[in-house]
Amino acid sequence: ICGASSGIGEELAYQLAGHGAKLVLVARNQDKLDAVKEGVMKLGATDVQTISFDFADVKGSSGVINQTVAWFGKLDYLVSNHAAMINGAFLGVPYLQEAASLKEYSG
């Protein structure tokens, strides 16, 4: 769950924990992630890992997926609940101009 340290992502983590889910919680703030991890473990999550990561690093975001698969052997669901904002015009954001980036993020 990306954006798992507060708000909708945090609540979703609690709801899934009640069903015994295995979870990877991702957000920028490790202290908040640790608090959510403690809460979901109490609610019944069977295995919980955390990754402190800022999705402003678009090219590094695949590492979150790779680490999840390394831990659990697969990824059943990805909840992309993090806040992301492109600051500037489309043509002014260099990584959006790369064909590989456009293909990777357009499906």
Side-chain angles (χ1 to χ4, degrees), residues 1-83:
I1 301 174
C2 303
S5 63
S6 64
I8 293 169
E10 179 181 9
E11 182 60 30
L12 182 58
Y14 295 141
Q15 295 298 319
L16 292 172
H19 295 282
K22 295 178 181 179
L23 300 169
V24 176
L25 308 174
V26 185
R28 291 175 292 197
N29 187 304
Q30 187 63 50
D31 291 336
K32 289 182 179 180
L33 284 173
D34 291 340
V36 174
K37 178 179 179 176
E38 183 178 327
V40 297
M41 293 298 291
K42 289 178 183 176
L43 290 172
T46 58
D47 191 358
V48 182
Q49 303 292 330
T50 63
I51 300 174
S52 179
F53 184 77
D54 185 347
F55 281 93
D57 176 9
V58 175
K59 291 184 178 185
S61 62
S62 62
V64 172
I65 303 300
N66 295 336
Q67 184 61 56
T68 299
V69 172
W71 281 326
F72 295 121
K74 63 180 182 171
L75 173 64
D76 291 325
Y77 300 99
L78 171 65
V79 179
S80 183
N81 179 60
H82 62 283

